[in-house]
Amino acid sequence: MNEYNPKELEPKWQRYWREQNFHRTDKDPHKQKYYVLEMFPYPSGKLHMGHMRVYSIGDVLTRFLRMRGYNVLHPMGWDAFGLPAENAANERGVDPGEWTYANIAAMKAQQEALGLSYDWEREVTTCSPEYYRWNQWLFLLFYKKGLAYKKKAPVNWCPSCQTVLANEQVVNGECWRCSSTVGLRELEQWFLKITAYAQQLLDDLKLLEGWPQRVRVMQENWIGRSEGTDIVFTIQETGDDLTVFTTRPDTLFGITYMVLAPEHPLLPKLLAGNPEEAEILRRVQEMCRESEINRAAADTDKVGIFTGAHAVNPANGEAVPILVGNYVLMSYGTGAVMGVPAHDQRDYLFARAYNLPVRLVVNSPHTDLQSAPMVEAYEEPGVLVNSGQFDGIPSEEAIKAITDWLADSGRGASRVRYRLRDWLISRQRYWGTPIPIINCPSCGPLPVPEDDLPVLLPTGVCFSGKQQSPLADHAAFLQARCPSCAGAAQRETDTMDTFFCSSWYYVRYTDPLQDKLPFNREEAAYWLPVDQYIGGIEHAVLHLLYSRFFTKFLFDQGMLTVREPFQRLLAQGMVYKDGAKMSKSKGNVVTPDEIIDRYGADTGRLFILFAAPPEKDLDWNDQGVEGCYRFLRRVWRLFQQHGDLFPSAAGAA
Ligand SMILES: [Zn+2]
Ligand SMILES: [Zn+2]
């Protein structure tokens, strides 16, 4: 009887699977399809235990369903653009492409040693021209439909990564990748108009019953829908219109001041000629440098500076002072908020601190608040007072009545606003998909003709570390003919956010070799949606929101037949050891290679699947691994001793 020897056994079967192309998947009209997908990795060069956990979960589900007769698609690929390759180039002078492909080869060998059942014929690598040309094609489709546009805007800038970041990539005021404090810069950038889909992205969350509730809530909050009223004030000194958005138009007569965000475009005009202009502008600059998260936090010290200008209330003609305040964000609403201290506790505290008047306009139905000075804001519904023709109306009715009255007089309208902003996709980096645009001095920006795709990334660029894309220094890349007037023109030198690549890779797997289109509609229609998606919670408002946006857009273009990409989502837990996340600095790292070497992949996979439910955190435990190994040895012996009970399987072993 031979002993359990995974070192011999596992490579033998892995070789067999490879040679037989055992995991290849084709469309099969006689079987129920099922699409299992683990989020594809960034090719860092080494698999860690977190990878092994995700892949083991996806693999066991795939094998289980295949044995039950399903036609299961289980592909793997590489999210291969991104900054680490460029940093390696900077630090060690290696070519980003060579570095990336070497890492892919190393990780693929590790995945194979784990015995994962991927259909490698469908492998997708986003940094290959065969893939990124379709990024460019899709970008042009967005552009043609008016959903890709360029504008100058204050954008998040990571000083360490030397690039701009999307709002979704700024976490608590820090860069999602390197944790540097993110600042603001005014730059000309490309955006995708994800806001055009804000309502659909919100509404369709209810279709996602197979998603963790917390992920749906995170997306709902990120989209941030609020119903309210736009009210147009007039600036007394300049005559400009100033629009504010409020959910409490019933308190219109109680406004005693107005606050603008430090980035508000009217601010320089309001401050012009103010004797303290220079000093105020200096403090405004300071406010702008603070991160939005800090500025919006509940415990932030609210700072306000009087601009010297006044806003005229359309309801009563009263002029109230306009301040600039650190706690007002340009990225939310209109960048201007009305101060109603009698009916908002935060405004109340601010007004007391700055000695601004407090005027009651909603009286409590239970106690007459007018009989004594207020000591706190009254935020409940009530009956309007001090509100002209609206006196005596219940505040809930007054919301509509005042909005209608504003609309009739052309000074406002009911309005739905979202917190979601358009997705900034320009990156001033080399290792990404070139944005297929040519800037002509006479014709302006023009799309690269489809026949000229892909716009290839050049090799041999110089990584100067300057604050623009290295592509801007590459003359052969930069110079182009204008597709319209044939004059000398320049290529766009920014590349796309790598999240663009991952927003549709799950569709490409359904038709990975397609060279006429990003994918064939019938292939995608057969396989999509992904029935079970598995990946980290950190993607809740990044990748998972962007992918939903792409799917909805491609559905509207008639290219997809589904409105949602991922039917079910499993956000797997973390892998800990000795109560802490595995990390080199803590010295508590266990690598998949060590486990395979010592016990074999099956022991590692078995432990990972038994040690904790997939969505819970898992604490690595050497005794537990040992126990799984002994269990497999017993199974092996049992099988050896009673091989006659399993004649066909025994022959195969
Ligand atoms: Zn960074
Ligand atoms: Zn031209």
Side-chain angles (χ1 to χ4, degrees):
M1 185 178 83
N2 57 354
E3 271 298 306
Y4 177 54
N5 183 3
K7 273 205 162 133
E8 209 174 89
L9 198 60
E10 290 181 353
K12 172 185 157 184
W13 287 105
Q14 286 156 13
R15 194 165 50 246
Y16 176 80
W17 294 332
R18 189 171 57 239
E19 284 166 5
Q20 301 293 313
N21 211 349
F22 196 71
H23 301 302
R24 179 195 160 116
T25 326
D26 290 307
K27 276 201 295 191
D28 183 343
H30 305 295
K31 284 182 177 174
Q32 177 76 35
K33 76 92 186 176
Y34 202 94
Y35 187 171
V36 177
L37 185 63
E38 299 112 54
M39 288 182 186
F40 66 167
Y42 177 79
S44 59
K46 269 258 172 273
L47 291 187
H48 54 65
M49 239 358 132
H51 290 120
M52 182 167 171
R53 186 172 190 199
V54 188
Y55 304 153
S56 299
I57 294 167
D59 194 61
V60 75
L61 181 63
T62 299
R63 288 172 184 270
F64 173 72
L65 290 168
R66 279 181 182 158
M67 285 188 269
R68 293 193 53 196
Y70 285 84
N71 189 26
V72 185
L73 178 60
H74 188 217
M76 181 43 65
W78 310 98
D79 193 7
F81 274 135
L83 210 45
E86 210 163 324
N87 290 341
N90 244 334
E91 288 155 19
R92 279 163 279 156
V94 293
D95 176 71
E98 281 172 27
W99 184 85
T100 303
Y101 280 103
N103 286 348
I104 288 174
M107 288 171 79
K108 199 169 161 177
Q110 285 182 294
Q111 286 173 328
E112 203 164 65
L114 282 172
L116 302 169
S117 59
Y118 297 129
D119 177 357
W120 284 111
E121 287 188 9
R122 293 177 183 267
E123 182 178 6
V124 157
T125 305
T126 60
C127 67
S128 72
E130 292 75 29
Y131 187 84
Y132 72 68
R133 71 171 294 178
W134 301 115
N135 280 343
Q136 295 171 339
W137 190 93
L138 289 167
F139 174 88
L140 293 179
L141 186 61
F142 279 112
Y143 182 80
K144 278 179 226 150
K145 301 294 169 182
L147 294 176
Y149 65 93
K150 194 172 196 182
K151 78 166 182 199
K152 193 162 198 176
V155 293
N156 305 304
W157 176 266
C158 174
S160 155
C161 297
Q162 293 274 305
T163 187
V164 300
L165 300 171
N167 286 347
E168 288 82 359
Q169 293 166 337
V170 181
V171 182
N172 298 326
E174 294 175 352
C175 171
W176 69 289
R177 215 189 60 77
C178 73
S179 299
S180 304
T181 301
V182 172
L184 281 179
R185 280 197 174 199
E186 187 92 5
L187 286 172
E188 189 101 28
Q189 304 287 309
W190 284 96
F191 290 83
L192 288 191
K193 204 168 169 135
I194 188 173
T195 54
Y197 284 86
Q199 190 60 47
Q200 270 194 52
L201 287 166
L202 183 66
D203 289 344
D204 289 352
L205 284 172
K206 67 176 179 298
L207 304 176
L208 302 177
E209 283 168 10
W211 283 37
Q213 177 68 8
R214 60 184 169 145
V215 176
R216 286 191 287 169
V217 168
M218 282 162 88
Q219 289 210 356
E220 185 179 335
N221 292 340
W222 187 261
I223 296 165
R225 182 184 199 272
S226 47
E227 280 177 35
T229 305
D230 273 354
I231 304 176
V232 184
F233 289 68
T234 309
I235 295 175
Q236 192 172 43
E237 288 77 5
T238 66
D240 288 293
D241 280 348
L242 176 66
T243 303
V244 300
F245 174 73
T246 178
T247 56
R248 290 293 306 272
D250 53 315
T251 63
L252 179 59
F253 288 80
I255 297 171
T256 58
Y257 62 94
M258 194 73 80
V259 190
L260 303 187
E263 298 88 358
H264 199 286
L266 279 175
L267 195 58
K269 197 170 170 186
L270 302 192
L271 292 173
N274 186 315
E276 289 166 60
E277 183 180 352
E279 169 61 10
I280 297 176
L281 281 174
R282 191 189 61 75
R283 292 179 62 190
V284 165
Q285 282 298 317
E286 250 169 46
M287 290 179 183
C288 291
R289 273 198 292 275
E290 214 183 321
S291 76
E292 291 210 345
I293 298 284
N294 289 343
R295 283 163 54 189
D299 56 354
T300 292
D301 266 340
K302 293 193 167 64
V303 179
I305 309 166
F306 179 46
T307 60
H310 298 79
V312 179
N313 188 331
N316 54 13
E318 192 179 54
V320 299
I322 302 176
L323 291 81
V324 50
N326 63 338
Y327 65 98
V328 180
L329 304 181
M330 199 60 219
S331 61
Y332 188 72
T334 62
V337 298
M338 50 192 227
V340 187
H343 303 291
D344 181 293
Q345 185 60 19
R346 290 161 308 172
D347 289 356
Y348 180 86
L349 295 173
F350 186 81
R352 287 293 182 228
Y354 284 85
N355 211 14
L356 293 156
V358 177
R359 183 188 302 146
L360 183 86
V361 289
V362 178
N363 203 0
S364 162
H366 311 295
T367 41
D368 184 7
L369 299 170
Q370 299 179 95
S371 58
M374 297 188 86
V375 290
E376 61 177 356
Y378 177 72
E379 294 184 334
E380 304 300 306
V383 177
L384 263 61
V385 292
N386 301 321
S387 297
Q389 70 268 41
F390 300 101
D391 278 355
I393 299 180
S395 55
E396 280 142 330
E397 283 172 36
I399 289 178
K400 186 175 183 317
I402 290 183
T403 301
D404 288 348
W405 176 75
L406 284 166
D408 288 345
S409 50
R411 303 307 292 176
S414 64
R415 178 76 194 257
V416 175
R417 285 190 179 269
Y418 301 89
R419 182 172 173 268
L420 184 69
R421 300 286 108 176
D422 282 341
W423 174 14
L424 166 57
I425 58 157
S426 297
R427 295 293 178 274
Q428 289 69 49
R429 309 304 322 178
Y430 162 73
W431 194 234
T433 304
I435 293 176
I437 291 286
I438 291 171
N439 296 304
C440 171
S442 7
C443 313
L446 289 169
V448 171
E450 241 172 66
D451 290 345
D452 294 349
L453 297 183
V455 177
L456 287 171
L457 261 186
T459 51
V461 300
C462 154
F463 296 94
S464 60
K466 280 190 300 190
Q467 291 168 8
Q468 58 176 353
S469 165
L471 293 175
D473 291 331
H474 195 281
F477 176 84
L478 192 62
Q479 287 156 14
R481 290 262 147 232
C482 169
S484 172
C485 73
Q490 292 198 332
R491 279 188 198 287
E492 177 67 56
T493 58
D494 284 352
T495 54
M496 296 181 199
D497 184 359
T498 58
F499 279 91
F500 195 106
C501 306
S502 53
S503 292
W504 69 283
Y505 79 107
Y506 49 89
V507 194
R508 183 70 181 173
Y509 281 138
T510 67
D511 193 16
L513 303 177
Q514 177 60 248
D515 61 358
K516 303 286 181 290
L517 282 169
F519 52 86
N520 173 291
R521 188 176 188 273
E522 278 64 47
E523 297 294 324
Y526 175 79
W527 287 112
L528 289 178
V530 172
D531 294 279
Q532 180 66 62
Y533 200 27
I534 308 165
I537 187 92
E538 69 274 17
H539 293 288
V541 291
L542 286 156
H543 163 59
L544 292 170
L545 190 65
Y546 297 149
S547 297
R548 295 183 61 221
F549 162 50
F550 266 54
T551 299
K552 290 179 188 309
F553 171 69
L554 294 172
F555 176 87
D556 285 350
Q557 304 313 310
M559 294 172 68
L560 288 180
T561 53
V562 293
R563 290 170 185 275
E564 286 291 337
F566 312 124
Q567 189 77 28
R568 294 169 54 82
L569 172 70
L570 171 69
Q572 87 282 352
M574 307 272 281
V575 180
Y576 289 95
K577 185 161 193 294
D578 311 323
K581 200 180 156 184
M582 285 189 187
S583 77
K584 265 189 212 142
S585 59
K586 293 200 183 73
N588 62 349
V589 175
V590 183
T591 66
D593 283 351
E594 283 169 61
I595 295 300
I596 293 172
D597 190 49
R598 191 143 171 219
Y599 301 103
D602 282 340
T603 294
R605 291 161 47 121
L606 190 67
F607 170 73
I608 274 184
L609 294 168
F610 278 179
E615 70 280 5
K616 292 281 188 309
D617 292 338
L618 180 160
D619 203 6
W620 191 267
N621 171 319
D622 294 331
Q623 288 82 47
V625 178
E626 196 70 47
C628 286
Y629 180 67
R630 284 197 304 269
F631 172 75
L632 286 180
R633 248 185 0 200
R634 275 203 299 278
V635 171
W636 179 261
R637 269 192 225 120
L638 191 73
F639 183 76
Q640 295 290 317
Q641 286 159 4
H642 303 283
D644 51 326
L645 296 177
F646 323 93
S648 62

